[in-house]
């Protein structure tokens, strides 16, 4: 089974996603990160953002339902 290589590059896991993506692109452009690994990392960031968005929307909808007294919360 193929695995991704271990890489070491500057990455701030507390930074905003746009900054993280820029860090990944910089690492790829400088040769510190293979392009396919960079693409995988950026896709992972994108997926995490989608998960966060859906979670936030679900929480907001539940809060609105509770305010309106709608059952099924």
């Amino acid at each position: 089974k193929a695995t991704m290589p271990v890489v070491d590059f500057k990455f701030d896991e507390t930074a905003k996603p746009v900054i993280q993506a820029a860090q990944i692109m910089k690492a790829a452009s400088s040769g510190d990160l293979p392009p396919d690994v960079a693409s995988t990392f950026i896709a992972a960031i994108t997926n995490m953002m989608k998960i966060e968005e859906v979670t936030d929307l679900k929480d907001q909808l539940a809060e609105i339902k509770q305010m309106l007294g709608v059952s099924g919360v």
Side-chain angles (χ1 to χ4, degrees), residues 4 6 8 12 18 24 28 31 33 47 49 54 56 59 65:
M4 296 250 176
V6 175
D8 185 27
D12 182 357
V18 68
I24 291 167
L33 190 63
N47 289 332
M49 290 173 59
V54 169
D56 288 347
D59 292 346
K65 285 181 174 182

Side-chain angles (χ1 to χ4, degrees), residues 32-49:
D32 294 331
L33 190 63
D36 60 327
V37 176
S39 179
T40 299
F41 284 173
I42 290 177
I45 291 170
T46 302
N47 289 332
M48 291 298 295
M49 290 173 59

